[in-house]
Every structure is written in structure tokens, then in C-alpha cells.
Amino acid sequence: MGADRVFAYGAAAGLLGDLLLGDPRRGHPVAVFGRAAGTVERVLWRDHRGWGALHTAVCAGGAVALGVVAQRAVRPSTAASVALTGAATWAVVGGTSLAREARAIGRRLAAGDVEAARARLPHLCGRDPQALDADGIARAVVESVAENTSDAVVGALVWGAVAGVPGLLGFRAVNTLDAMVGHRSARHRRFGWASARLDDVAGWPGARLTAALAAVAGDDPRGAVRAWRADAARHPSPNAGPVEASFAGALGVRLGGTLSYGGRVEHRPVLNGEGRTVHVADIERAVRLSRRVGWLALGVSAAAALLRGACPGRTS
């Protein structure tokens, strides 16, 4: 069996495994990587971009190298190759945990327990929840669902289609490093620069595919495309902009505006200004849209891998 079919079958199994099992509460491979990257950071940290680039190369390069070694080790066996791809896909995607956390916050908001929703919000995103009312929390959840659909599902599938298990592990490593050191804190402003820029590059194709599929799968395709074209470039993130704008248009809601991270207030542009304010019920709508986008992304990625394998002049 060629590598194209191995990816298609393995990725489908991995996404189904995520749907049925979700993430383990202990010993998750991404958490193990995070602890290892933290150890490397303690050894290499200097307030310098070059040392940050070395940290990125060691951690992301190590993940890719692990994928290469594992993929080569199982290559003689089709069953083992599919199983490895399935396990890697399950390890790097996080659609079920994303939906679970979003719905948990939604249930608390629906019950009128805003304090409990505020306490739960840090499990999903890095916003400061104390200044948020119910609609503000709901907006933060919808924005996080949109962005993480790209980061935790679609982007990984895209790179898996391109490079198999090394692509899956490498993308997740880069995305995790960005979450760890890519933010603009005093400690990481220079040290995390390389991780943040590499994440921008690695996330570019997945973000555009996510935005396109949200337009296809959403309630208002024209609204999604309109918001994407009009507002995406105004967002400070080159990848979150298209995704959040498309989700906003597809759901008919207004995203963006003032928010707070780690005590730092940001005034972001409004996305889909023609939409209405986000309400609690929109959390479930966003989760369902995220699910549809994830399965469509599997279909697109698997089809792309199969088409690449069928091109004349290529060997399996």
C-alpha cells in the first residue's frame, strides 16, 4: 500500500479515535513534549532571538526526527504504518477536547453561573475572564473554537497529507512551542520570536483551508466569504484573522473588539461588523461548525494525498 493510502486510512482512524476517546487525562504525548520543551528552554534561555531559534530547532526538529525514524521503522508493514499514522493523528488533533471545554463553559453560562464559566475559561484560552460578562465569555469561546479548529485539527491534517507522520508531529510541535514561548511576554519577546514566526508559516495553509471550509459548511457561505475578504487582514494574527472572520460570517455574529491577555488590554478590529452580538447558544453552533470543518478537512487532505500518489512519475 502506498504512503498516500496509509495516510488516508490512518488519519481517518486517528480522527475517529479522537471523536470516541478524546485526549487522555494523564500522559498525553503533547504534554510530554511540552515538558521536554520546557526543560530545553531552561537550559537554553537567553534574552536573544538566536538562542530562541536554537530552542525551536532542537524541539521542533526533534519531533520531526522522531516521526521520520518511526515511519521508517514500520514501513515494511502496511498494518503497522496505518496504525502509526492513526496513533500520531489521534495524538496531535484535539477536536474532542476543544468541543468538550467549549460546551462545559456553555452549560455554565446557560445555567446562569457566570462565575463558574469564568473559572473554566482558562482551560480553553488565555483570556482574562474576570472583566467578562456572559456574552463576553461566549464571544471568547467562539473565537477560541474557531482558531483552534485550525490549530488543533485542520493544520495537522494538512501537514500530515504533505509529510506523513513527521508532518503531523512537526506541526503540533511548532504549534505547541508558539503557545509556550511565542507570546509577547517580557521573557519571551525575543526568545520566542522564532517559534512565533515558524508557527505563522506552518499555520498558513491550514488557516486558509479552515476559513474556506467554514464558508462551505456554515449557515451563511456568502457572509463568511464577505467577512473573510473584508476583515481578515485587519486581525493582528495572519492566520487567526481568516479563520475567525470566516467563522463570524458563517455564524452571523460579530467577533473581535476589546480583550485582555495577562493583564494587557488589546483593542482588536471587529470582524463581521454586520453580525449580531455573540450569545450563549452560539457556542454550540460554533462547536458543530468546527466538527463539520474537521471532517471536511480530513476528506480534502486524504484526497490530496491520494491525488499526489496517483501523479505519473511518483512512486509509493
Side-chain angles (χ1 to χ4, degrees), residues 184-197:
R184 297 179 180 178
S185 66
R187 177 180 173 85
H188 294 132
R189 184 171 291 109
R190 282 179 283 272
F191 185 82
W193 178 87
S195 290
R197 298 292 77 76

Side-chain angles (χ1 to χ4, degrees), residues 96-316:
T96 294
S97 293
L98 174 64
R100 182 183 298 139
E101 290 297 335
R103 283 170 169 156
I105 297 170
R107 286 194 299 271
R108 287 159 174 77
L109 290 175
D113 195 345
V114 178
E115 285 301 320
R118 289 193 181 111
R120 189 80 183 189
L121 186 62
H123 289 81
L124 184 65
C125 64
R127 305 283 178 89
D128 293 333
Q130 295 307 315
L132 297 176
D133 60 10
D135 287 346
I137 295 173
R139 190 195 84 191
V141 171
V142 170
E143 290 173 351
S144 295
V145 168
E147 185 174 1
N148 283 293
T149 300
S150 176
D151 289 343
V153 182
V154 181
L157 293 173
V158 167
W159 282 102
V162 171
V165 172
L168 290 165
L169 301 186
F171 175 81
R172 191 58 170 164
V174 169
N175 188 249
T176 303
L177 288 173
D178 179 60
M180 294 178 63
V181 304
H183 45 84
R184 297 179 180 178
S185 66
R187 177 180 173 85
H188 294 132
R189 184 171 291 109
R190 282 179 283 272
F191 185 82
W193 178 87
S195 290
R197 298 292 77 76
L198 183 58
D199 183 67
D200 287 343
V201 173
W204 195 97
R208 273 72 193 168
L209 179 59
T210 303
L213 295 178
V216 171
D219 297 334
D220 186 358
R222 290 185 178 181
V225 173
R226 182 176 62 249
W228 179 6
R229 295 180 62 184
D231 299 329
R234 301 167 60 210
H235 196 286
S237 168
N239 294 329
V243 173
E244 291 185 18
S246 185
F247 262 69
L251 296 170
V253 299
R254 186 169 61 251
L255 300 179
T258 302
L259 52 84
S260 176
Y261 281 102
R264 184 182 72 254
V265 176
E266 295 185 14
H267 300 284
R268 292 186 177 178
V270 172
L271 306 176
N272 192 39
E274 299 177 3
R276 58 171 173 78
T277 302
V278 177
H279 301 311
V280 175
D282 294 314
I283 293 176
E284 180 62 28
R285 296 178 63 223
V287 168
R288 291 179 179 177
L289 177 57
S290 174
R291 283 292 195 195
R292 293 195 295 270
V293 168
W295 286 106
L296 286 173
L298 172 65
V300 171
S301 299
L306 291 170
L307 286 172
R308 188 182 71 243
C311 287
R314 294 186 63 91
T315 59
S316 298

